[in-house]
């Protein structure tokens, strides 16, 4: 008997399996990840949750329709699966189970969004999508900052825009803080640079975008961002140098560089008390040191397992209210990804997190220095920006930062995984 298909089912299959739908959905998901602050301000938490839930449904339909082209054997990298498993398990001993459930739902959702588009788009398509989204978001941020700081000379409170464009004390754009604005501007600059080098967009568009993102980095006026930008530029130059070397010389140079970095870190650790005393002269760093000291004290109370995953800190939940009150300000994170993970997931969770990002960095670095195409430079530079800024911010473990981490972990694993099949 001849098999028949419903016209509606065939139309739905054609719609969800179409390459243009995958392209449009990737833009939507990346836009949601980077726009969480603005979307939360416009739609509220319930509205943002509904939007992400709807996107997860659309993503599921797309993956089902395109199941023949999805490489399921590398869909979820093992290091990511193990880290997520420990994160989920932390709910069972969480000090704040309700807040943990909310945090886990957010973490799993952004993980699923990143894994879904990573499986359905190749690397250059993802870079182009990130570039397209950030062009719009940075332009929108600059327009709103001009309106707030020049035209009406008043903050746009619900978006967190303080109108600091003229004063030069750092603008926030639509991202909630100057550190977030500057970090996203730096990631945009890396993306636009890769677009220019790979000729994936017109030369004029790439160069104007790169110039605009550089202006945004300066306008962010974030010390954390400036230090991160400097390190990213140095790493980009080092990668460029390694790409021109023969394999044997390259390996020796990498070993020498890692050894020098290890010696430098050992020296810094040896004189850490003097370094901390010097850094404490800055009010901003003094505040961070106070918060980190409190985090460390609490982390040691639940050394192995942590207090339970929560992601962004809930303001009315212990022990986060204690840390915010003792530091004299209110923040929704620990301002350090490594201490934040240790606090929430214990030493075990921190070790799994370091393994996760370590494998991702080594894989992405290997691809960047060995592959002919310059598009592979994007991943180690973006990951480096997230990890270096992670010494003073916790963006890399929630929402847009975590989305990028998972994207890089998934793409680097797909390219170099031992489970990969041609």
């Amino acid at each position: 008997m001849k098999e028949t298909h419903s016209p509606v089912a065939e139309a739905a299959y054609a719609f969800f399996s179409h390459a243009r739908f995958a392209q449009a959905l990737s833009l939507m998901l990346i836009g949601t990840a980077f726009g969480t602050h603005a979307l939360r301000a416009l739609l509220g938490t319930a509205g943002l949750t509904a939007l992400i839930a709807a996107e997860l449904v659309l993503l599921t339909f797309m993956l089902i329709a395109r199941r023949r082209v999805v490489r399921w054997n590398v869909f979820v990298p093992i290091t990511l699966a193990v880290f997520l498993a420990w994160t989920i398990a932390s709910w069972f001993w969480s000090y704040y189970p309700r807040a943990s459930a909310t945090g886990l739902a957010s973490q799993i959702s952004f993980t699923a969004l990143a894994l879904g588009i990573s499986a359905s788009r190749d690397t250059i398509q993802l870079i182009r999508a990130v570039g397209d989204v950030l062009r719009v978001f940075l332009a929108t941020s600059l327009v709103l900052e001009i309106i707030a700081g020049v035209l009406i000379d008043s903050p746009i409170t619900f978006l967190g825009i303080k109108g600091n464009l003229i004063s030069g004390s750092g603008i926030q754009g639509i991202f909630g803080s100057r550190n977030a604005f500057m970090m996203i501007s730096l990631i945009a600059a890396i993306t636009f640079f890769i677009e220019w080098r790979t000729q994936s967009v017109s030369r004029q568009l790439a160069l104007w975008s790169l110039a605009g993102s550089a202006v945004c980095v300066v306008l962010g006026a974030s010390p954390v961002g400036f230090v991160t930008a400097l390190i990213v530029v140095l790493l980009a130059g080092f990668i460029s140098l390694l790409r021109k070397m023969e394999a044997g010389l390259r390996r020796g140079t990498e070993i020498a560089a890692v050894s020098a970095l290890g010696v430098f870190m050992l020296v810094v650790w040896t004189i850490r008390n003097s370094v901390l005393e010097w850094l404490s002269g800055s009010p901003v760093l003094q505040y961070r040191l106070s918060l980190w000291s409190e985090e460390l004290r609490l982390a040691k109370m639940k050394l192995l397992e942590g207090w339970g995953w929560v992601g962004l800190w809930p303001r009315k939940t212990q022990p986060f209210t204690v840390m915010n009150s003792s530091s004299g300000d209110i923040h929704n994170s620990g301002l350090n990804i490594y201490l934040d993970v240790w606090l929430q997931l214990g030493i075990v969770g921190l070790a799994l997190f370091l393994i996760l990002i370590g494998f991702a960095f080594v894989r992405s670095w290997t691809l960047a220095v060995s592959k002919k195409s310059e598009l592979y430079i994007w991943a180690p530079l973006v990951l480096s920006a997230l990890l270096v800024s992670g010494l003073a911010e916790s963006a890399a473990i929630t929402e847009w930062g975590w989305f990028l981490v998972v994207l890089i972990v998934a793409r680097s694993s797909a390219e170099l995984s031992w489970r990969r099949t041609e």
Side-chain angles (χ1 to χ4, degrees):
M1 184 175 180
K2 186 177 179 180
E3 185 179 358
T4 60
H5 297 282
S6 165
V8 175
E10 291 181 352
Y13 175 80
F15 177 76
F16 287 112
S17 63
H18 202 285
R20 288 188 178 179
F21 177 78
Q23 179 185 13
L25 186 60
S26 66
L27 290 171
M28 183 187 302
L29 300 186
I30 293 169
T32 300
F34 281 107
T36 48
H37 173 76
L39 289 169
R40 192 178 284 111
L42 292 169
L43 305 176
T45 302
L48 177 60
T49 302
L51 175 62
I52 293 174
E55 289 175 343
L56 287 170
V57 172
L58 293 175
L59 182 63
T60 302
F61 287 154
M62 185 198 70
L63 291 175
I64 292 173
R66 296 171 63 87
R67 61 190 179 277
R68 293 184 179 86
V69 298
V70 174
R71 288 185 293 180
W72 297 104
N73 61 314
V74 291
F75 187 76
V76 182
I78 293 175
T79 52
L80 177 62
V82 173
F83 176 73
L84 282 178
W86 182 259
T87 303
I88 294 169
S90 72
W91 180 83
F92 292 99
W93 60 78
S94 173
Y95 189 76
Y96 28 76
R98 182 175 298 180
S100 281
T102 302
L104 286 170
S106 174
Q107 203 76 2
I108 293 169
S109 296
F110 280 100
T111 301
L113 295 179
L115 289 175
I117 65 167
S118 172
S120 60
R121 311 294 287 168
D122 61 29
T123 303
I124 190 60
Q125 290 171 330
L126 290 172
I127 293 173
R128 279 290 315 276
V130 170
D132 289 342
V133 168
L134 292 186
R135 256 186 290 274
V136 173
F137 280 13
L138 291 185
T140 302
S141 294
L142 288 177
V143 169
L144 291 173
E145 289 288 351
I146 291 171
I147 292 173
V150 179
L151 299 181
I152 65 175
D153 193 22
S154 177
I156 304 176
T157 308
F158 79 100
L159 284 176
I161 295 175
K162 298 178 181 178
N164 293 336
L165 184 62
I166 301 300
S167 67
S169 55
I171 64 176
Q172 300 77 35
I174 61 173
F175 305 112
S177 72
R178 66 173 183 169
N179 285 333
F181 175 79
M182 193 168 179
M183 280 306 305
I184 291 174
S185 299
L186 178 58
I187 290 167
I190 297 169
T191 305
F192 301 150
F193 174 77
I194 298 301
E195 286 183 331
W196 170 50
R197 296 298 298 170
T198 57
Q199 300 180 352
S200 55
V201 299
S202 69
R203 179 183 176 86
Q204 292 79 8
L205 177 60
L207 291 179
W208 278 110
S209 300
L210 188 56
S213 62
V215 170
C216 290
V217 168
V218 174
L219 291 176
S222 164
V224 174
F226 286 138
V227 172
T228 303
L230 176 61
I231 293 175
V232 167
V233 170
L234 292 175
L235 281 176
F238 187 51
I239 289 174
S240 178
L241 181 65
L242 290 174
R243 287 171 59 85
K244 298 174 183 177
M245 294 180 179
E246 296 294 333
L249 179 59
R250 182 170 64 230
R251 180 58 56 85
T253 305
E254 288 175 330
I255 293 173
V258 171
S259 301
L261 179 62
V263 170
F264 173 76
M265 293 177 67
L266 182 61
V267 170
V268 171
W269 176 257
T270 304
I271 61 172
R272 62 188 182 279
N273 291 330
S274 300
V275 172
L276 290 174
E277 184 178 350
W278 176 69
L279 291 175
S280 64
S282 166
V284 175
L285 286 172
Q286 194 171 32
Y287 164 73
R288 278 179 162 78
L289 290 172
S290 173
L291 179 62
W292 295 339
S293 176
E294 189 66 16
E295 279 186 84
L296 193 57
R297 183 184 69 82
L298 288 168
K300 289 178 179 178
M301 293 173 63
K302 295 179 179 290
L303 186 63
L304 290 178
E305 77 282 13
W307 291 73
W309 182 260
V310 71
L312 294 175
W313 289 7
R315 295 189 176 185
K316 297 182 180 180
T317 302
Q318 296 287 7
F320 306 107
T321 52
V322 172
M323 285 186 286
N324 275 323
S325 62
S326 64
S327 60
D329 203 350
I330 296 177
H331 275 276
N332 62 2
S333 76
L335 302 181
N336 183 299
I337 57 174
Y338 310 101
L339 283 177
D340 225 341
V341 171
W342 185 4
L343 174 71
Q344 298 182 40
L345 297 178
I347 286 291
V348 175
L350 178 60
L352 294 175
F353 178 71
L354 292 175
I355 292 170
L356 169 68
I357 60 177
F359 268 88
F361 186 80
V362 170
R363 283 169 170 165
S364 62
W365 182 275
T366 301
L367 290 167
V369 300
S370 61
K371 293 285 188 178
K372 183 177 180 180
S373 176
E374 290 181 301
L375 69 89
Y376 292 101
I377 299 174
W378 182 83
L381 292 185
V382 171
L383 187 57
S384 297
L386 291 169
L387 298 182
V388 171
S389 66
L391 293 169
E393 291 291 330
S394 291
I397 57 173
T398 57
E399 298 187 345
W400 65 266
W402 178 247
F403 181 89
L404 284 176
V405 168
V406 173
L407 207 58
I408 292 168
V409 167
R411 292 309 308 164
S412 60
S413 177
E415 293 287 347
L416 287 179
S417 174
W418 58 272
R419 295 177 293 159
R420 184 182 179 185
T421 56
E422 300 295 339

